[in-house]
Each structure stands twice: as C-alpha cells, then as structure tokens.
Amino acid sequence: MNSLFTRLSLALLLIMLTVGGGFYAFEQWSSRRYHEEVTQRLNGAIAMYVTEQTTLIRDGAVNRTELERLAERAMIINPSVEVYLLDRRGHILGHALPPESVQAETVDLGPVKRLIDGRAQPPVYGTDPRSPGLEKVFSASPVMDGDQLEGYLYVVLGGRKYDELAGEVRTTYTRQSSALAIGALVVGGFAAGLLVFALLTRRLTQLTRDVESFTLTGPDSDDQTALAQLQARQPDNGQGDEIGKLQAAFAAMATQLREQFVALQENDRLRRELVSNVSHDLRTPLATMHGYVETLLLKNHELDEAERERYLLVTRKHTKRLADLIGDLFQLSKLDAGSAPLALETFSLSELLNDVVQDFELEARQRGITLRLGHEPDRALVHADIGLVQRVLENLIHNALDYTTRGGTITLEVETEPEKVAVSVADTGCGIPAEQIDNIFERYFRSDHGPIERDQSSGLGLSIVKRILDLHGSRITVASATNKGTRFEFSLPVPAAA
C-alpha cells in the first residue's frame, strides 16, 4: 500500500469506476431522454386526433361516454398512453382510469400551453396525475365548443404501463450489453493505465533501489558499485524526461558527495599532518630557545661576553625562524580560507621587481651569490594584487638563495605578451631531482638535495606561492636539472585582459 505503483493503481481504479458509473448513468439518462423526445414527436398529434373525432364538452357538460370510448381506443392502439380531460384551469374533469389510481386533481397548464403554442422544443415534461412527484412527456390539444375554449385534452405518453415495461426491460439483453460494454471499457482502461504506470514507475523503483544502495554503502565506502550503476544509466546525450533528469541530478549529487568526502578525507589527512609538522617545527626552536635562555639564567655569571653574545645570537636566530614559520602559517591559512580577498590593481611589474631585488641584494652579496635583473621591458603593467605578487617574488628568491651555493647566480626576467606578462626566477643552484619536482609545492616538503639545512626552511614557501598564483588564475611551471639549476615561471594578466 505504501508503494507509488499501488497508490496510483488504486487511484486509477477509483477514477475508472467513477467515470464508468457516471458514463453508464449518463447513457441511461440520455437514452431515456432520446426515447421520450422521439415518443413525444411521434405521438404529439394524438390529443388533436382525439378531439377532432367528437365534441367532448358541450355547453359546459362533459361527454363522459365519448371520452371513455376515445380513451379506451387510444389505449388499445398505444397501451402506454393515459387520457385526461382538463378544464381551462387545469382541473381534471374526466378520464378512463380506475378512480383510485389518479392521485392529482389538477395539472400544471404551463407546459401544456407552451407545447400547444410551439414555444418549447421536445421533450416537454408535464404533470403525471398518477404520480404527482414525477413528470412525463405528453400530448395536448385544446377542447373547443364552437369558437369557445372549454378545456384541454391531456394525454400522458409514458404512463404506468410504460414504467412497468421499462422496469422489465432493464434486465434485458440491451441493458446488459450496455453494462458489459462499459465494464469492458473500464477494465481495458484500468489495464492500460496499469501498464503505463508500471513503465513509468519502473525507473522510479530502480532509482529508489539505487538511492537505498548508495545510502547503505555511503560515500565513504570503497565499494562504489551503486554510484557506478547510477552513472552508467545516464543517457549519453544528457536528455530525458523528468525521471531521467532526476536520475541525472541524483547521480551528480552522489558523485559530488563522493568527491567532497574524498576531499574531506584528504583535508583531514593534511590537517593531522599539519598539526604534526607544526608541533615539531614549533617545538624545535622553542626547545632550543628555552635551553639557551635557561643557560643564560643559570650560568650568566660564569659566561664571558663572547659566550653570552653567542647564546643570544642563537636565541635570536631561532626566534626569527619561529616568527617566519608562524607568519607563513598565518598567510597560508588566510589564503586557504579566502578571508583575504584579492585587492586587484594595475601596477608596474618592472618597478616591483627592482624593489624586491634591492631588498635581497645585501643578503645575496653576503652569501656570495649574484642577484640580477635580466630582460626588463619598460614598465610591464599588470593587473593583480601587488602585495601578494611581492610575496610570490620574495618566496621564490628566498628559495633560490637557500639552494644556490656561493658563486652562483639568480636571474629575474620579464617578458611581455599580448595578454599577459611572463615572469621567471632562475638560479644556478643544486637543482631538483626529477622524482621530487611533483612534490615541491606540497606543504612541508623539503628537498633532500642541496646545501640548505633541514631545520632552516618551513616547507611552506612554495605552497604559498602556488596558492597565491591559483587565486590569480595563473599556473607556475618548474624546469630543473640536478646540479645545474632551477627555473620557475608564471604569468600575470595585463590590464586590458583582466
């Protein structure tokens, strides 16, 4: 009873029975009305013929003998008629029926006059004196005495005999055939409706099974048979009726749920890894700082100025590393959360490069590395977030300094194109092994090739670079050869193309 097919079937059965019953009742009513109209049209002149045979009222007196004779003759010819003589106000003056069978004393003259005047189209119904609550078709004619209207001859065309015969006919072949025909139509329509409902609900039933199967397995299950079956049932052209669109929508939703769950799993893995790495990276400098500060407190009077300065320098180095790590974490979290929307503006990339190179020039000289700006077109205007682009350049230069040995060179170049400006940062450092290139933009990844000390890098610099460029819709590429150097390249849109 709870299935859609069962409910639709019961609703269809109720509708078919209602329609079939209504059609049967209408067919019986229209058939009766048809026969009554035919009867009235065929026998409409009976009253006139009777009144033309003799004078039924003379000088106000009713000729009852002649009335009974003519009534009996009319009833012999047509047993269903009943003849009544009315006065000018509709009172029954005489008839040829048993007195006790006539229940009414008057007949409504309104229908009689409309029929005689021709103002009404058959069938016209009038009073049935033997059954005052019913109306019957009739024939009527004025009764004249010379030029004087004395009354009306009122002939009921479907009298008591007609009702008795009609009741008997209800069980005859014609009535049964009509009922059987309508019953066959109802059964046939119901069967056709069941077939249509079965075809329509078949896909809904299958979709329900798929939904239940997917619900039971869940998006976290390794068994994705239900999702695969859903996707396999989708039409290739993407078209279909409402059920097909519902299937496609659920398949898309299930796929999205699966992808989101996988993404959540990956995010959870990264979060655990982040917590682990952050805990380790924070604990190391903190422990070192704590050790040196505690040594200073306990042995301050035993230390000479050189040792005290060395302890303070080490503490400051770890303090700076801790500040850099916290700053990188804060920057990356803001980029991931989208809490810092891009402040896009048009600016000169050449001028920004010159400023960044000047900021790192002293550090590069101290390390014995040449930092230079190569091809530099005039201005090279771009449309981007200047603060974030500066952070990209700083991270790339800082990364190049860490992996380039003394005597090496770091070169920044700019090349303008019709819709973008390409920027490259190349070094002559140790390079990146081919098997590690795909991992360098992952958080906390540190290459094990090169001169940099493992604990001096947060492992977040290149992750921040990639995230910033992703927000700008730009892609960063890497080309590297071991012991020969590395080249990072990305592009930014020009104002007209932004």
Side-chain angles (χ1 to χ4, degrees):
M1 286 297 294
N2 292 327
S3 68
L4 179 62
F5 177 78
T6 302
R7 293 182 178 182
L8 289 175
S9 300
L10 291 177
L12 177 63
L13 179 60
L14 180 61
I15 292 172
M16 294 302 296
L17 290 176
T18 302
V19 172
F23 183 77
Y24 180 77
F26 177 76
E27 187 271 338
Q28 295 300 312
W29 174 83
S30 62
S31 177
R32 180 181 179 87
R33 189 175 180 85
Y34 168 77
H35 285 95
E36 288 175 344
E37 180 176 351
V38 171
T39 299
Q40 191 170 49
R41 289 182 179 274
L42 288 175
N43 300 283
I46 286 180
M48 182 183 67
Y49 292 149
V50 171
T51 56
E52 289 179 349
Q53 297 296 317
T54 184
T55 301
L56 297 176
I57 301 177
R58 185 183 298 277
D59 299 329
V62 177
N63 188 347
R64 296 187 181 278
T65 302
E66 192 65 21
L67 174 64
E68 292 176 1
R69 183 182 67 82
L70 292 176
E72 290 175 357
R73 181 180 297 177
M75 294 175 66
I76 291 173
I77 297 173
N78 187 351
S80 67
V81 302
E82 298 172 356
V83 180
Y84 300 89
L85 181 62
L86 310 178
D87 64 11
R88 286 177 292 185
R89 288 182 291 182
H91 290 89
I92 299 175
L93 299 177
H95 53 78
L97 299 170
E100 68 278 3
S101 65
V102 178
Q103 303 296 319
E105 296 180 355
T106 61
V107 171
D108 183 9
L109 293 181
V112 174
K113 293 179 179 179
R114 289 198 299 273
L115 181 66
I116 294 174
D117 295 342
R119 290 179 293 155
Q121 293 293 326
V124 180
Y125 297 93
T127 306
D128 181 5
R130 303 184 73 177
S131 301
L134 299 178
E135 291 184 333
K136 299 290 184 65
V137 291
F138 62 92
S139 172
S141 178
V143 177
M144 309 295 292
D145 184 8
D147 295 331
Q148 181 69 30
L149 175 64
E150 295 293 341
Y152 300 93
L153 188 66
Y154 182 74
V155 181
V156 176
L157 300 177
R160 183 68 57 84
K161 189 65 175 178
Y162 176 86
D163 292 337
E164 293 174 356
L165 291 174
E168 295 176 1
V169 171
R170 289 192 182 97
T171 59
T172 61
Y173 173 77
T174 302
R175 188 68 62 90
Q176 292 175 355
S177 298
S178 178
L180 288 175
I182 294 176
L185 288 175
V186 171
V187 172
F190 181 66
L194 290 181
L195 178 60
V196 172
F197 289 158
L199 293 175
L200 290 177
T201 58
R202 176 175 55 85
R203 290 187 294 159
L204 284 175
T205 302
Q206 184 60 54
L207 177 60
T208 302
R209 294 197 188 101
D210 292 338
V211 173
E212 291 175 347
S213 177
F214 181 78
T215 303
L216 290 175
T217 58
D220 57 333
S221 174
D222 294 333
D223 183 10
Q224 293 300 312
T225 304
L227 180 58
Q229 291 176 345
L230 269 173
Q231 295 171 338
R233 292 192 184 97
Q234 304 312 307
D236 295 335
N237 56 5
Q239 302 296 323
D241 55 13
E242 286 78 1
I243 299 177
K245 292 178 181 178
L246 180 61
Q247 288 177 325
F250 181 78
M253 182 188 69
T255 302
Q256 187 176 8
L257 283 175
R258 174 62 180 170
E259 293 174 350
Q260 289 177 345
F261 188 83
V262 172
L264 286 174
Q265 286 182 318
E266 179 64 16
N267 289 337
D268 185 62
R269 183 189 68 79
L270 293 175
R271 180 187 59 79
R272 291 196 300 270
E273 182 179 328
L274 175 65
V275 171
S276 175
N277 290 330
V278 168
S279 300
H280 175 270
D281 287 346
L282 292 178
R283 184 170 60 249
T284 300
L286 282 173
T288 303
M289 292 164 55
H290 178 78
Y292 277 98
V293 170
E294 192 173 66
T295 300
L296 286 171
L297 290 174
L298 294 175
K299 300 182 177 181
N300 185 45
H301 61 282
E302 300 178 5
L303 300 176
D304 56 25
E305 289 298 325
E307 288 180 317
R308 186 179 295 107
E309 183 178 0
R310 184 171 63 86
Y311 282 14
L312 290 174
L313 288 175
V314 172
T315 302
R316 186 181 67 177
K317 183 184 71 171
H318 286 286
T319 302
K320 182 179 182 302
R321 180 171 180 269
L322 188 61
D324 292 341
L325 177 60
I326 293 174
D328 287 345
L329 286 170
F330 182 67
Q331 179 70 45
L332 191 58
S333 65
K334 285 200 302 182
L335 293 172
D336 287 340
S339 58
L342 296 179
L344 299 176
E345 58 180 302
T346 299
F347 61 91
S348 172
L349 187 58
S350 298
E351 294 179 3
L352 178 62
L353 285 171
N354 279 295
D355 293 340
V356 173
V357 168
Q358 290 178 7
D359 292 340
F360 282 89
E361 193 171 14
L362 178 60
E363 181 180 355
R365 188 181 305 116
Q366 291 173 347
R367 295 190 182 193
I369 299 173
T370 300
L371 177 62
R372 67 186 183 87
L373 188 59
H375 179 63
E376 180 186 358
D378 185 29
R379 293 180 61 80
L381 295 177
V382 297
H383 190 73
D385 187 317
I386 187 171
L388 294 181
V389 173
Q390 181 175 349
R391 183 64 182 269
V392 168
L393 295 172
E394 290 173 349
N395 284 10
L396 290 176
I397 294 175
H398 192 276
N399 186 76
L401 288 172
D402 287 342
Y403 286 90
T404 302
T405 57
R406 180 175 295 274
T409 302
I410 300 174
T411 305
L412 281 71
E413 292 186 341
V414 179
E415 183 176 351
T416 59
E417 299 179 12
E419 295 184 353
K420 60 184 179 179
V421 176
V423 184
S424 65
V425 179
D427 62 63
T428 59
C430 62
I432 305 171
E435 65 274 10
Q436 295 182 358
I437 288 181
D438 292 338
N439 301 323
I440 61 174
F441 293 107
E442 294 181 4
R443 300 178 184 184
Y444 292 104
F445 177 81
R446 300 182 181 94
S447 176
D448 56 6
H449 181 75
I452 186 173
E453 298 181 19
R454 298 304 99 210
D455 61 348
Q456 295 303 306
S457 172
S458 68
L460 297 175
L462 292 181
S463 297
I464 293 174
V465 167
K466 185 177 185 305
R467 182 59 181 149
I468 291 174
L469 292 177
D470 286 343
L471 292 175
H472 282 83
S474 179
R475 179 173 174 266
I476 186 168
T477 59
V478 186
S480 183
T482 305
N483 299 322
K484 291 185 179 181
T486 304
R487 177 185 177 89
F488 290 90
E489 186 173 346
F490 63 93
S491 61
L492 295 171
V494 299

